[in-house]
Amino acid sequence: MTDTAPQPIPFLDLKAQQARIAADLRGRLDRVLGHCQFILGPEVTELEQELARFCGARHCIGVSSGTDAIQIALMGAGIGAGDAVFLPAFTYTATAEVPLVLGATPVFVDVDPRTFQIDPAHLEARIEAVKAAGRLRPRALIGVDLFGQPADWPALRAIAARHGLFTLDDLAQSFGATLHGKPLGTQAEATATSFFPSKPLGAYGDGGAMFTDSDELAALYRSLRTHGEGTTRYEVLRTGMNGRLDSLQAAVLLAKLTVFPEELAARERIAQVYDSRLGNAVQTPVRVPDSTSAWAIYAILLRDGAAREHVQSVLKSRGVPTAIYYPRPLHKQPAYAGSHDGAGLPVAEDLATRILALPIHPDLTDVQVGRICDAVLEAVG
Ligand SMILES: *Cc1c(COP(=O)(O)O)cnc(C)c1O
């Protein structure tokens, strides 16, 4: 037997996915090239209808990115200077960036050490602390469904209602997940998702969508995504932005939507193999009760930073790529440290030192999943 290095396993395999949908995708792209309505064309309308049906929301509004979806939602709620926007410290930067862009202040909340989702008890404490300090008005909560799993929305809604906060669900990582048997998309007053290419449902460029059951908010978001336009293009009602989705991206997403349910099932199957083979050796993801995950990220916890470094290097030598989401909690980022009030966020800080993401995508073969498990067990053994 020759001792050749094994073929590297891709962290994400968009080429293999493309091969599965090639014919349908080409047909849809050709139709856009035929009609040349490149911005908010018929594919965008069709996608909005399909996505609204998928998650049982009254309205879906296609927008230019997940970040812009968050921005439009916060603009629609009138968030600005002097407002506190509560959000988890352990998330992607975009969640915290938007409040600052609008002149508001992000207030970082710690996360649950088992599920990594925003911690409702700490949220309550943070709201009380902001009220006591009297400098900022508590105005909004951005709950993030991290890594594919849902946040504890029943608890978050109750707290938000008690304190009069606008609720926004940042669903960028978890479109396709369910909570209590229902797809995410209707847990908050507004929901924002992303179609960045590496998300569970990804476009071939930037894209995003918003969901709401409110007719008023839906109309407002449609206006805000097109420069605050009124009933005609030449009537400007409010300050908006260029936040539109383009037809080619919608065509790509419609093609991908045809295989999305089977992709979710494939990711779940892989997660179950990881759980059963690795569960005794490392801390595998703890499931949120009565939910399903979209498995954007499958993250394990190692003993400490040194153990993580070791596992990463052993896996690399075996052709297994890994990634760290997130190496720094947001309140420790130079861009945000200045707006942080100094509260301790020990769970987010601890997770950042020892969390590690394994590949999880629908085109991983059983052999590859087996190789990844073997490599992890070898590294921690
Ligand atoms: C990716 C992501 C976003 C931003 O989405 P873009 O489409 O890249 O702008 C926002 N929030 C979270 C949690 C994300 O993972």
Side-chain angles (χ1 to χ4, degrees):
M1 208 171 133
T2 50
D3 193 13
T4 49
Q7 275 288 103
I9 293 169
F11 196 75
L12 188 67
D13 197 345
L14 294 179
K15 283 186 181 161
Q17 186 196 45
Q18 194 182 121
R20 285 190 278 113
I21 58 170
D24 183 43
L25 175 67
R26 290 299 162 122
R28 291 177 192 272
L29 294 176
D30 281 342
R31 283 198 286 284
V32 178
L33 297 179
H35 65 56
C36 287
Q37 278 178 261
F38 292 117
I39 303 286
L40 297 184
E43 288 75 15
V44 174
T45 307
E46 186 184 344
L47 179 71
E48 288 175 343
Q49 285 163 357
E50 291 289 328
L51 294 178
R53 181 162 47 227
F54 185 95
C55 55
R58 255 178 87 75
H59 301 281
C60 172
I61 299 99
V63 297
S64 40
S65 71
T67 307
D68 290 341
I70 296 170
Q71 181 162 339
I72 290 170
L74 293 189
M75 286 170 83
I79 302 299
D83 293 341
V85 178
F86 299 86
L87 55 101
F90 199 64
T91 177
Y92 183 61
T93 178
T95 319
E97 173 183 30
V98 175
L100 281 165
V101 164
L102 295 176
T105 303
V107 177
F108 297 106
V109 179
D110 213 349
V111 294
D112 182 293
R114 291 163 51 81
T115 64
F116 314 148
Q117 307 298 321
I118 186 170
D119 176 353
H122 194 241
L123 170 65
E124 182 84 58
R126 296 292 274 145
I127 295 169
E128 294 298 350
V130 165
K131 283 187 167 169
R135 199 173 58 81
L136 299 168
R137 267 173 308 163
R139 282 291 310 283
L141 162 68
I142 309 180
V144 176
D145 306 302
L146 197 75
F147 294 171
Q149 295 211 87
D152 185 353
W153 279 104
L156 297 181
R157 273 196 304 271
I159 294 167
R162 200 149 58 235
H163 297 281
L165 304 183
F166 173 75
T167 53
L168 171 62
D169 181 2
D170 179 346
L171 181 61
Q173 296 181 4
S174 305
F175 184 80
T178 67
L179 181 60
H180 308 153
K182 210 167 169 262
L184 296 185
T186 57
Q187 297 290 332
E189 285 166 83
T191 295
T193 198
S194 164
F195 304 126
F196 187 81
S198 63
K199 307 287 183 181
L201 180 63
Y204 288 168
D206 280 308
M210 309 177 68
F211 299 96
T212 181
D213 283 340
S214 156
D215 297 349
E216 293 74 33
L217 287 183
L220 180 59
Y221 298 159
R222 287 183 188 283
S223 167
L224 286 168
R225 83 171 164 185
T226 305
H227 305 291
E229 74 177 9
T231 45
T232 72
R233 188 175 297 175
Y234 303 102
E235 182 185 34
V236 184
L237 296 177
R238 51 183 69 83
T239 307
M241 57 191 283
N242 178 352
R244 298 170 298 220
L245 183 63
D246 74 72
S247 311
L248 286 168
Q249 297 310 333
V252 170
L253 291 162
L254 284 164
K256 289 211 192 182
L257 206 51
T258 63
V259 297
F260 187 56
E262 65 203 51
E263 291 188 342
L264 289 170
R267 286 175 190 263
E268 173 60 31
R269 274 197 304 278
I270 295 163
Q272 285 180 15
V273 175
Y274 285 157
D275 287 350
S276 68
R277 287 209 55 204
L278 305 178
N280 290 327
V282 297
Q283 187 182 319
T284 50
V286 175
R287 311 294 182 100
V288 171
D290 197 11
S291 76
T292 60
S293 176
W295 293 115
I297 289 164
Y298 186 96
I300 59 172
L301 277 185
L302 285 316
R303 200 173 48 250
D304 53 28
R308 177 171 72 184
E309 222 170 281
H310 175 70
V311 170
Q312 258 197 309
S313 83
V314 170
L315 265 59
K316 192 173 178 203
S317 74
R318 301 289 181 269
V320 177
T322 54
I324 298 176
Y325 305 106
Y326 294 94
R328 256 201 233 200
L330 292 181
H331 64 292
K332 297 282 189 188
Q333 289 288 0
Y336 308 129
S339 48
H340 180 52
D341 58 10
L345 303 162
V347 179
E349 287 166 24
D350 174 52
L351 293 178
T353 65
R354 57 196 188 94
I355 201 161
L356 187 67
L358 302 178
I360 186 159
H361 63 76
D363 293 289
L364 283 174
T365 65
D366 292 349
V367 171
Q368 288 173 322
V369 173
R371 262 180 61 198
I372 294 165
C373 293
D374 292 344
V376 173
L377 294 173
E378 178 197 337
V380 299

PDB file of all heavy atoms in Angstrom, residues 265-278 287 295 298 360 369:
ATOM      1  N   ALA A 265     -31.621  17.656   5.272  1.00  0.00           N
ATOM      2  CA  ALA A 265     -31.632  16.281   5.791  1.00  0.00           C
ATOM      3  C   ALA A 265     -30.221  15.689   5.761  1.00  0.00           C
ATOM      4  O   ALA A 265     -29.821  14.975   6.689  1.00  0.00           O
ATOM      5  CB  ALA A 265     -32.598  15.421   4.977  1.00  0.00           C
ATOM      6  N   ALA A 266     -29.457  15.986   4.713  1.00  0.00           N
ATOM      7  CA  ALA A 266     -28.088  15.466   4.615  1.00  0.00           C
ATOM      8  C   ALA A 266     -27.219  16.048   5.730  1.00  0.00           C
ATOM      9  O   ALA A 266     -26.427  15.334   6.360  1.00  0.00           O
ATOM     10  CB  ALA A 266     -27.500  15.809   3.249  1.00  0.00           C
ATOM     11  N   ARG A 267     -27.372  17.345   5.992  1.00  0.00           N
ATOM     12  CA  ARG A 267     -26.587  17.952   7.073  1.00  0.00           C
ATOM     13  C   ARG A 267     -26.951  17.323   8.420  1.00  0.00           C
ATOM     14  O   ARG A 267     -26.080  17.079   9.261  1.00  0.00           O
ATOM     15  CB  ARG A 267     -26.849  19.468   7.134  1.00  0.00           C
ATOM     16  CG  ARG A 267     -26.184  20.269   6.024  1.00  0.00           C
ATOM     17  CD  ARG A 267     -26.621  21.729   6.104  1.00  0.00           C
ATOM     18  NE  ARG A 267     -26.224  22.510   4.948  1.00  0.00           N
ATOM     19  CZ  ARG A 267     -25.133  23.289   4.900  1.00  0.00           C
ATOM     20  NH1 ARG A 267     -24.354  23.404   5.945  1.00  0.00           N
ATOM     21  NH2 ARG A 267     -24.844  23.966   3.806  1.00  0.00           N
ATOM     22  N   GLU A 268     -28.238  17.060   8.639  1.00  0.00           N
ATOM     23  CA  GLU A 268     -28.670  16.452   9.892  1.00  0.00           C
ATOM     24  C   GLU A 268     -28.073  15.040  10.036  1.00  0.00           C
ATOM     25  O   GLU A 268     -27.622  14.663  11.123  1.00  0.00           O
ATOM     26  CB  GLU A 268     -30.203  16.418   9.952  1.00  0.00           C
ATOM     27  CG  GLU A 268     -30.802  15.659  11.142  1.00  0.00           C
ATOM     28  CD  GLU A 268     -30.407  16.211  12.509  1.00  0.00           C
ATOM     29  OE1 GLU A 268     -30.183  17.429  12.640  1.00  0.00           O
ATOM     30  OE2 GLU A 268     -30.301  15.401  13.457  1.00  0.00           O
ATOM     31  N   ARG A 269     -28.050  14.279   8.937  1.00  0.00           N
ATOM     32  CA  ARG A 269     -27.459  12.931   8.997  1.00  0.00           C
ATOM     33  C   ARG A 269     -25.992  12.998   9.398  1.00  0.00           C
ATOM     34  O   ARG A 269     -25.518  12.216  10.221  1.00  0.00           O
ATOM     35  CB  ARG A 269     -27.581  12.233   7.629  1.00  0.00           C
ATOM     36  CG  ARG A 269     -28.894  11.506   7.411  1.00  0.00           C
ATOM     37  CD  ARG A 269     -28.777  10.510   6.251  1.00  0.00           C
ATOM     38  NE  ARG A 269     -28.338  11.120   5.002  1.00  0.00           N
ATOM     39  CZ  ARG A 269     -29.148  11.758   4.149  1.00  0.00           C
ATOM     40  NH1 ARG A 269     -30.438  11.889   4.422  1.00  0.00           N
ATOM     41  NH2 ARG A 269     -28.668  12.282   3.030  1.00  0.00           N
ATOM     42  N   ILE A 270     -25.270  13.965   8.824  1.00  0.00           N
ATOM     43  CA  ILE A 270     -23.839  14.102   9.148  1.00  0.00           C
ATOM     44  C   ILE A 270     -23.671  14.503  10.613  1.00  0.00           C
ATOM     45  O   ILE A 270     -22.822  13.966  11.329  1.00  0.00           O
ATOM     46  CB  ILE A 270     -23.175  15.134   8.206  1.00  0.00           C
ATOM     47  CG1 ILE A 270     -23.205  14.608   6.769  1.00  0.00           C
ATOM     48  CG2 ILE A 270     -21.741  15.433   8.647  1.00  0.00           C
ATOM     49  CD1 ILE A 270     -22.958  15.683   5.719  1.00  0.00           C
ATOM     50  N   ALA A 271     -24.515  15.432  11.072  1.00  0.00           N
ATOM     51  CA  ALA A 271     -24.441  15.859  12.477  1.00  0.00           C
ATOM     52  C   ALA A 271     -24.643  14.666  13.409  1.00  0.00           C
ATOM     53  O   ALA A 271     -23.971  14.540  14.433  1.00  0.00           O
ATOM     54  CB  ALA A 271     -25.483  16.948  12.751  1.00  0.00           C
ATOM     55  N   GLN A 272     -25.557  13.773  13.025  1.00  0.00           N
ATOM     56  CA  GLN A 272     -25.816  12.607  13.888  1.00  0.00           C
ATOM     57  C   GLN A 272     -24.622  11.653  13.921  1.00  0.00           C
ATOM     58  O   GLN A 272     -24.330  11.052  14.961  1.00  0.00           O
ATOM     59  CB  GLN A 272     -27.095  11.896  13.432  1.00  0.00           C
ATOM     60  CG  GLN A 272     -28.338  12.687  13.850  1.00  0.00           C
ATOM     61  CD  GLN A 272     -29.641  12.039  13.420  1.00  0.00           C
ATOM     62  OE1 GLN A 272     -29.675  10.879  13.045  1.00  0.00           O
ATOM     63  NE2 GLN A 272     -30.712  12.808  13.462  1.00  0.00           N
ATOM     64  N   VAL A 273     -23.919  11.525  12.783  1.00  0.00           N
ATOM     65  CA  VAL A 273     -22.710  10.687  12.789  1.00  0.00           C
ATOM     66  C   VAL A 273     -21.655  11.322  13.698  1.00  0.00           C
ATOM     67  O   VAL A 273     -21.042  10.639  14.531  1.00  0.00           O
ATOM     68  CB  VAL A 273     -22.153  10.497  11.356  1.00  0.00           C
ATOM     69  CG1 VAL A 273     -20.822   9.735  11.398  1.00  0.00           C
ATOM     70  CG2 VAL A 273     -23.164   9.771  10.477  1.00  0.00           C
ATOM     71  N   TYR A 274     -21.452  12.645  13.547  1.00  0.00           N
ATOM     72  CA  TYR A 274     -20.497  13.338  14.422  1.00  0.00           C
ATOM     73  C   TYR A 274     -20.885  13.149  15.894  1.00  0.00           C
ATOM     74  O   TYR A 274     -20.041  12.829  16.729  1.00  0.00           O
ATOM     75  CB  TYR A 274     -20.465  14.837  14.117  1.00  0.00           C
ATOM     76  CG  TYR A 274     -19.730  15.244  12.852  1.00  0.00           C
ATOM     77  CD1 TYR A 274     -20.028  16.458  12.228  1.00  0.00           C
ATOM     78  CD2 TYR A 274     -18.726  14.461  12.298  1.00  0.00           C
ATOM     79  CE1 TYR A 274     -19.354  16.880  11.091  1.00  0.00           C
ATOM     80  CE2 TYR A 274     -18.045  14.872  11.162  1.00  0.00           C
ATOM     81  CZ  TYR A 274     -18.369  16.082  10.563  1.00  0.00           C
ATOM     82  OH  TYR A 274     -17.702  16.494   9.456  1.00  0.00           O
ATOM     83  N   ASP A 275     -22.161  13.369  16.197  1.00  0.00           N
ATOM     84  CA  ASP A 275     -22.626  13.238  17.595  1.00  0.00           C
ATOM     85  C   ASP A 275     -22.255  11.869  18.148  1.00  0.00           C
ATOM     86  O   ASP A 275     -21.729  11.743  19.248  1.00  0.00           O
ATOM     87  CB  ASP A 275     -24.161  13.360  17.684  1.00  0.00           C
ATOM     88  CG  ASP A 275     -24.667  14.773  17.467  1.00  0.00           C
ATOM     89  OD1 ASP A 275     -23.842  15.703  17.437  1.00  0.00           O
ATOM     90  OD2 ASP A 275     -25.896  14.940  17.338  1.00  0.00           O
ATOM     91  N   SER A 276     -22.570  10.814  17.372  1.00  0.00           N
ATOM     92  CA  SER A 276     -22.408   9.473  17.943  1.00  0.00           C
ATOM     93  C   SER A 276     -20.946   9.047  17.967  1.00  0.00           C
ATOM     94  O   SER A 276     -20.521   8.396  18.908  1.00  0.00           O
ATOM     95  CB  SER A 276     -23.297   8.457  17.214  1.00  0.00           C
ATOM     96  OG  SER A 276     -22.833   8.268  15.913  1.00  0.00           O
ATOM     97  N   ARG A 277     -20.167   9.469  16.968  1.00  0.00           N
ATOM     98  CA  ARG A 277     -18.770   9.027  16.988  1.00  0.00           C
ATOM     99  C   ARG A 277     -17.868   9.897  17.866  1.00  0.00           C
ATOM    100  O   ARG A 277     -16.865   9.422  18.387  1.00  0.00           O
ATOM    101  CB  ARG A 277     -18.212   8.980  15.565  1.00  0.00           C
ATOM    102  CG  ARG A 277     -18.787   7.784  14.769  1.00  0.00           C
ATOM    103  CD  ARG A 277     -17.829   7.283  13.707  1.00  0.00           C
ATOM    104  NE  ARG A 277     -16.503   6.939  14.214  1.00  0.00           N
ATOM    105  CZ  ARG A 277     -15.405   6.937  13.460  1.00  0.00           C
ATOM    106  NH1 ARG A 277     -15.477   7.263  12.182  1.00  0.00           N
ATOM    107  NH2 ARG A 277     -14.240   6.603  13.979  1.00  0.00           N
ATOM    108  N   LEU A 278     -18.217  11.167  18.029  1.00  0.00           N
ATOM    109  CA  LEU A 278     -17.316  12.083  18.751  1.00  0.00           C
ATOM    110  C   LEU A 278     -17.817  12.457  20.144  1.00  0.00           C
ATOM    111  O   LEU A 278     -17.073  13.028  20.939  1.00  0.00           O
ATOM    112  CB  LEU A 278     -17.121  13.376  17.934  1.00  0.00           C
ATOM    113  CG  LEU A 278     -16.636  13.206  16.492  1.00  0.00           C
ATOM    114  CD1 LEU A 278     -16.533  14.567  15.799  1.00  0.00           C
ATOM    115  CD2 LEU A 278     -15.286  12.488  16.456  1.00  0.00           C
ATOM    116  N   ARG A 287     -28.330  20.179  21.555  1.00  0.00           N
ATOM    117  CA  ARG A 287     -29.503  20.596  20.776  1.00  0.00           C
ATOM    118  C   ARG A 287     -30.438  21.454  21.605  1.00  0.00           C
ATOM    119  O   ARG A 287     -30.697  21.150  22.776  1.00  0.00           O
ATOM    120  CB  ARG A 287     -30.291  19.367  20.285  1.00  0.00           C
ATOM    121  CG  ARG A 287     -29.478  18.277  19.624  1.00  0.00           C
ATOM    122  CD  ARG A 287     -28.877  18.755  18.338  1.00  0.00           C
ATOM    123  NE  ARG A 287     -28.138  17.678  17.688  1.00  0.00           N
ATOM    124  CZ  ARG A 287     -28.622  16.939  16.678  1.00  0.00           C
ATOM    125  NH1 ARG A 287     -29.839  17.144  16.233  1.00  0.00           N
ATOM    126  NH2 ARG A 287     -27.870  16.002  16.130  1.00  0.00           N
ATOM    127  N   TRP A 295     -27.783  23.486  10.632  1.00  0.00           N
ATOM    128  CA  TRP A 295     -26.377  23.084  10.632  1.00  0.00           C
ATOM    129  C   TRP A 295     -25.509  23.918   9.698  1.00  0.00           C
ATOM    130  O   TRP A 295     -24.764  23.384   8.878  1.00  0.00           O
ATOM    131  CB  TRP A 295     -26.226  21.586  10.298  1.00  0.00           C
ATOM    132  CG  TRP A 295     -26.797  20.708  11.372  1.00  0.00           C
ATOM    133  CD1 TRP A 295     -27.869  19.862  11.256  1.00  0.00           C
ATOM    134  CD2 TRP A 295     -26.356  20.582  12.740  1.00  0.00           C
ATOM    135  NE1 TRP A 295     -28.121  19.240  12.466  1.00  0.00           N
ATOM    136  CE2 TRP A 295     -27.205  19.663  13.386  1.00  0.00           C
ATOM    137  CE3 TRP A 295     -25.323  21.187  13.474  1.00  0.00           C
ATOM    138  CZ2 TRP A 295     -27.065  19.319  14.732  1.00  0.00           C
ATOM    139  CZ3 TRP A 295     -25.181  20.843  14.823  1.00  0.00           C
ATOM    140  CH2 TRP A 295     -26.047  19.922  15.423  1.00  0.00           C
ATOM    141  N   TYR A 298     -21.076  23.177  12.520  1.00  0.00           N
ATOM    142  CA  TYR A 298     -21.048  22.140  13.554  1.00  0.00           C
ATOM    143  C   TYR A 298     -19.796  22.408  14.380  1.00  0.00           C
ATOM    144  O   TYR A 298     -18.666  22.190  13.921  1.00  0.00           O
ATOM    145  CB  TYR A 298     -20.997  20.745  12.920  1.00  0.00           C
ATOM    146  CG  TYR A 298     -21.106  19.621  13.943  1.00  0.00           C
ATOM    147  CD1 TYR A 298     -22.331  19.017  14.213  1.00  0.00           C
ATOM    148  CD2 TYR A 298     -19.976  19.170  14.638  1.00  0.00           C
ATOM    149  CE1 TYR A 298     -22.441  17.993  15.156  1.00  0.00           C
ATOM    150  CE2 TYR A 298     -20.073  18.156  15.582  1.00  0.00           C
ATOM    151  CZ  TYR A 298     -21.304  17.566  15.830  1.00  0.00           C
ATOM    152  OH  TYR A 298     -21.407  16.559  16.762  1.00  0.00           O
ATOM    153  N   ILE A 360     -19.301  20.672   7.531  1.00  0.00           N
ATOM    154  CA  ILE A 360     -20.626  20.043   7.468  1.00  0.00           C
ATOM    155  C   ILE A 360     -21.339  20.643   6.261  1.00  0.00           C
ATOM    156  O   ILE A 360     -21.754  21.785   6.261  1.00  0.00           O
ATOM    157  CB  ILE A 360     -21.430  20.217   8.787  1.00  0.00           C
ATOM    158  CG1 ILE A 360     -22.728  19.403   8.706  1.00  0.00           C
ATOM    159  CG2 ILE A 360     -21.691  21.671   9.139  1.00  0.00           C
ATOM    160  CD1 ILE A 360     -23.349  19.080  10.062  1.00  0.00           C
ATOM    161  N   VAL A 369     -16.808  11.812   5.950  1.00  0.00           N
ATOM    162  CA  VAL A 369     -17.273  12.024   7.335  1.00  0.00           C
ATOM    163  C   VAL A 369     -16.526  11.066   8.267  1.00  0.00           C
ATOM    164  O   VAL A 369     -16.087  11.452   9.355  1.00  0.00           O
ATOM    165  CB  VAL A 369     -18.806  11.844   7.444  1.00  0.00           C
ATOM    166  CG1 VAL A 369     -19.270  11.895   8.891  1.00  0.00           C
ATOM    167  CG2 VAL A 369     -19.532  12.908   6.617  1.00  0.00           C
TER     168      VAL A 369
END
